[in-house]
Amino acid sequence: MSNSTETDSLPGQRFRERFPLLALVIERMLLSILLLFAVSVLIFGGVEALPGDFATTYLGQSATPQAVANIRSELGLDRPIVTRYFEWLGGAVQGDFGASWASRNSVSEQVGKRLGNSLFLAGFAAVIAVPLAVGLGMLSVHFRNRMPDKIINVISLAAISLPEFFIGYLLILYFAVNFGVATFPATVYDGMAFLDRIKAIALPTATLVLVVLAHMMRMTRAAILSVMSSAYMETAELKGLSAWRAIARHAAPNALAPIINVVALNLAYLVVGVVVVEVVFVYPGMGQYMVDAVTVRDMPVVQACGLIFAAVYIFLNMLADILAIIANPRLRHPR
């Protein structure tokens, strides 16, 4: 029986031996799909378990039991939860999240518009935050235990300690109210000129940059410092390379895997964590859309937003794993 088991496992083992990188990538993708499926169950079940009822909220407290029952029947809420879950999941796989209970409009169309706004905000913040964080991390290593390093560390600790909404309100107070140099609320619309859109999102972008910059910078610094103690770094210094060139040409590339991981995690946070920032700045993105839907118990919208946020987060984590595998020879050829 053991021989049969060994024979059955041979094709998988051969595939891993011949294509170790591809096997690891496929494994990460399958795990991500399974995780997304599990998250979809939690999202649907969690939203169903929320207190309150849309029919009662929609009709008011004076609604008759028969009117509430009619609304529930119209929306299909009187059917078993398992049946409704698989219908919802089947539609979601095809990009169809049904109709909003409150507005009767297509959730997919509304999500498409709002998601574009959220991705634009998160993407613009990432374009600023990622190179700035990596650069400051390398600068901090170059001047480690000296005044520039200490100043960067103190500022980063302060930024990590402050919550997003507090930073946002401070920026609104000083730059929009006191100085009048920034726009509030951050209103964008279809057909808006690019420069006007950039001006409108200046404050929420600054908030997101300050929130994620410190964490990425500190992790970049820690990853490069761990490489600096390696023997080949000492060899590079003995060959006469300047400290900055040694960091840029040898330490940073070899610390790429952990840096990629922390950058990907923070990019995922930029997309998923925009909920608070969008509400603070009244930005018409996915976060604001989801919060508005929660207040009226519009469950199809809440479920769609939750699943999309989860999918983005899982996808970026999967991408980070794959890039880390490609960047790290020890992961490409596991023993």
Side-chain angles (χ1 to χ4, degrees):
M1 187 171 181
S2 61
N3 291 337
S4 176
T5 304
E6 291 176 4
T7 303
D8 293 340
S9 65
L10 280 177
Q13 290 178 355
R14 287 173 183 168
F15 183 79
R16 282 180 171 275
E17 290 171 1
R18 292 185 62 187
F19 310 102
L21 178 59
L22 183 59
L24 286 171
V25 170
I26 292 174
E27 181 182 334
R28 296 297 190 277
M29 293 176 68
L30 291 175
L31 287 174
S32 298
I33 292 171
L34 288 174
L35 179 59
L36 185 58
F37 174 75
V39 169
S40 73
V41 174
L42 292 176
I43 289 172
F44 192 88
V47 170
E48 288 289 325
L50 287 175
D53 181 74
F54 173 78
T56 305
T57 304
Y58 182 73
L59 295 174
Q61 295 296 326
S62 59
T64 64
Q66 184 59 45
V68 172
N70 290 338
I71 289 291
R72 290 180 60 83
S73 177
E74 180 184 344
L75 298 175
L77 297 176
D78 54 346
R79 292 181 300 159
I81 186 173
V82 175
T83 303
R84 288 188 285 119
Y85 165 73
F86 281 107
E87 287 183 357
W88 170 75
L89 183 63
V93 170
Q94 301 174 47
D96 180 12
F97 293 99
S100 166
W101 290 352
S103 66
R104 307 295 182 178
N105 293 326
S106 170
V107 175
S108 300
E109 291 181 5
Q110 295 297 316
V111 163
K113 296 177 183 177
R114 299 293 189 118
L115 181 60
N117 289 339
S118 292
L119 291 177
F120 181 78
L121 175 60
F124 193 69
V127 167
I128 297 172
V130 172
L132 189 59
V134 174
L136 286 174
M138 294 171 64
L139 187 68
S140 182
V141 171
H142 181 64
F143 293 102
R144 62 185 180 277
N145 299 326
R146 286 185 276 176
M147 188 56 65
D149 181 31
K150 293 178 180 178
I151 292 173
I152 291 173
N153 279 320
V154 168
I155 294 174
S156 65
L157 280 173
I160 290 173
S161 303
L162 297 175
E164 306 96 310
F165 66 87
F166 186 74
I167 295 175
Y169 285 131
L170 280 181
L171 293 179
I172 292 170
L173 175 63
Y174 285 104
F175 293 100
V177 177
N178 291 350
F179 301 134
V181 296
T183 303
F184 178 81
T187 304
V188 296
Y189 52 85
D190 292 340
M192 190 177 189
F194 181 76
L195 291 178
D196 292 337
R197 187 179 288 259
I198 294 300
K199 184 179 178 181
I201 67 169
L203 290 183
T205 299
T207 304
L208 288 173
V209 168
L210 289 172
V211 168
V212 301
L213 178 65
H215 188 226
M216 284 194 290
M217 187 278 296
R218 290 178 66 82
M219 290 301 294
T220 300
R221 179 183 184 275
I224 295 177
L225 280 177
S226 68
V227 173
M228 291 293 290
S229 59
S230 302
Y232 61 85
M233 289 303 300
E234 297 178 4
T235 303
E237 291 176 2
L238 290 174
K239 287 182 177 180
L241 280 181
S242 64
W244 183 254
R245 289 187 67 186
I247 292 170
R249 292 182 59 182
H250 298 284
N254 284 282
L256 200 56
I259 292 174
I260 287 173
N261 272 309
V262 72
V263 167
L265 287 173
N266 280 276
L267 290 180
Y269 174 80
L270 280 176
V271 178
V272 177
V274 293
V275 175
V276 174
V277 174
E278 288 182 359
V279 172
V280 168
F281 291 96
V282 201
Y283 183 74
M286 285 279 289
Q288 183 69 52
Y289 187 42
M290 185 176 181
V291 170
D292 292 342
V294 169
T295 58
V296 295
R297 302 294 190 273
D298 195 349
M299 299 313 179
V301 175
V302 178
Q303 290 164 344
C305 292
L307 186 64
I308 290 171
F309 281 141
V312 170
Y313 194 86
I314 291 171
F315 171 77
L316 287 174
N317 275 276
M318 178 189 71
L319 186 63
D321 285 342
I322 292 172
L323 291 177
I325 291 169
I326 295 172
N328 193 335
R330 289 174 296 180
L331 293 176
R332 278 185 289 173
H333 303 285
R335 293 183 179 179

